Amino acid sequence: MKNVLIIGANSAIAEACGRLFAERGDALFLVSRNSQRLESLASDLKVRGAAATHTLALDLADLTRHQELIDSVKAVFPQTDVLLIAHGILPNQDECQASTEKMLDSMAVNFLSPVSLLNLWANEFEAQKQGAIAVISSVAGDRGRQSNYIYGAAKGGLSTFLEGLRNRMFKHGVSVISIKPGFVDTPMTAEFQKGALWAKPEQIAKGILQAIEKGGDNVYLPSFWKLIMLIIIHVPEKIFKKLSL
C-alpha cells in the first residue's frame, strides 16, 4: 500500500488514476476545489478498494493556502509516496489574446500554481529521500502554435521546471515525471471534434501509473505523440511560421 496525494482530483484523468490507485489498495488524499464532487469521488474510491480516503477542498489558484495543503496531508500521511498534480484549465486562445487579465489568470492556474506546489513539496520529498512526483504537462508545451500558444507557454514553462527538478531530485532517490498527453476526450475538450488521435482518460491513466512504477522522465501519452512532436519540433521556423497550426 502506498500513500498517494492527487491534486486536481476531480479532473477526468485524475479520477481515472484514482480508480487505479484504489483498485490496488492505496491510501488516497484528494484535493480539488469542488467539495461536493470531491466527497462523492472519495466515497466511490473507498468502495473500489482504497485503504483510506482523505479530502481537502481548496482553490489551488490561491497560492497562500498551499502550505495549508502540505500540513493537512502530513497530519494523516507519515510520508507521501506518490504526488500527482493534475489540475489545470484550457483557456480560450482568442479571449486570452483580447484580455491580458484572462491570459494572466490562465498562466496562474497552469503555471504558477503547480510550480508553487512543487517548490514546497520538493523539500518534503528531498527530506524523505524516496517517492515519485508525476505532473500532467502537455505536448502543447513542446512548441508554440498560434491556436494555443498561451496554454502551451504555461505548459512549456512547467515542463522546463520539471526538468530542472528532476535533475535536482535524482540524487535523492525521487523520480520526477513529466506527463505529456496529446488530445484527450474529457469535459475540458467537450467542444472539440474528435478524431483518430484522441485518447480516453482511462488510457492516459494506465500510462501514468506505468510511468510512476517504472520511473519515467518525459512520458508522451499515448506514446505515438513522441514521434509526432519530434517531427513538429524539427520543422524549420521559416516553414513553421507559415503553417496554420
Side-chain angles (χ1 to χ4, degrees), residues 134-165:
V135 183
I136 297 182
S137 185
S138 171
V139 296
D142 282 11
R143 190 164 193 181
R145 296 178 293 119
Q146 63 176 295
S147 60
N148 71 347
Y149 66 84
I150 291 174
Y151 175 75
K155 292 298 189 180
L158 178 58
S159 293
T160 301
F161 184 94
L162 291 168
E163 187 176 26
L165 186 61

Side-chain angles (χ1 to χ4, degrees), residues 44-86:
D44 177 66
L45 296 180
K46 192 74 170 69
V47 171
R48 291 176 184 270
T53 56
H54 311 276
T55 63
L56 176 65
L58 189 71
D59 180 0
L60 294 162
D62 185 354
L63 308 187
T64 65
R65 297 189 64 189
H66 285 185
Q67 184 60 50
E68 174 189 340
L69 189 159
I70 289 184
D71 295 341
S72 298
V73 175
K74 291 177 71 173
V76 294
F77 284 171
Q79 72 173 25
T80 300
D81 300 301
V82 177
L83 164 62
L84 171 62
I85 294 183

Side-chain angles (χ1 to χ4, degrees), residues 72-238:
S72 298
V73 175
K74 291 177 71 173
V76 294
F77 284 171
Q79 72 173 25
T80 300
D81 300 301
V82 177
L83 164 62
L84 171 62
I85 294 183
H87 69 285
I89 57 173
L90 183 60
N92 182 291
Q93 175 70 26
D94 292 336
E95 291 179 359
C96 286
Q97 289 175 199
S99 168
T100 299
E101 183 178 0
K102 288 187 177 180
M103 184 273 289
L104 292 176
D105 285 345
S106 72
M107 286 290 184
V109 175
N110 290 326
F111 178 69
L112 292 179
S113 175
V115 300
S116 169
L117 288 164
L118 287 164
N119 205 44
L120 292 169
W121 273 108
N123 296 329
E124 301 294 328
F125 275 84
E126 187 177 69
Q128 69 184 29
K129 298 190 179 302
Q130 71 91 32
I133 299 171
V135 183
I136 297 182
S137 185
S138 171
V139 296
D142 282 11
R143 190 164 193 181
R145 296 178 293 119
Q146 63 176 295
S147 60
N148 71 347
Y149 66 84
I150 291 174
Y151 175 75
K155 292 298 189 180
L158 178 58
S159 293
T160 301
F161 184 94
L162 291 168
E163 187 176 26
L165 186 61
R166 179 162 49 247
N167 193 211
R168 168 190 165 189
M169 302 300 282
F170 176 74
K171 65 177 71 70
H172 300 290
V174 179
S175 60
V176 178
I177 308 156
S178 306
I179 306 295
K180 296 185 176 182
F183 302 138
V184 186
D185 186 3
T186 68
M188 195 163 70
T189 59
E191 297 179 357
F192 288 67
Q193 188 171 5
K194 310 302 188 296
L197 296 179
W198 286 74
K200 294 293 185 183
E202 293 76 12
Q203 186 178 359
I204 304 300
K206 288 181 181 177
I208 291 173
L209 263 71
Q210 288 176 357
I212 290 172
E213 291 300 316
K214 294 179 180 178
D217 296 323
N218 289 293
V219 178
Y220 290 82
L221 295 173
S223 58
F224 58 75
W225 278 99
K226 185 175 183 178
L227 176 60
I228 292 174
M229 296 316 299
L230 185 66
I231 294 170
I232 290 177
I233 288 170
H234 286 89
V235 174
E237 190 67 25
K238 287 185 177 180

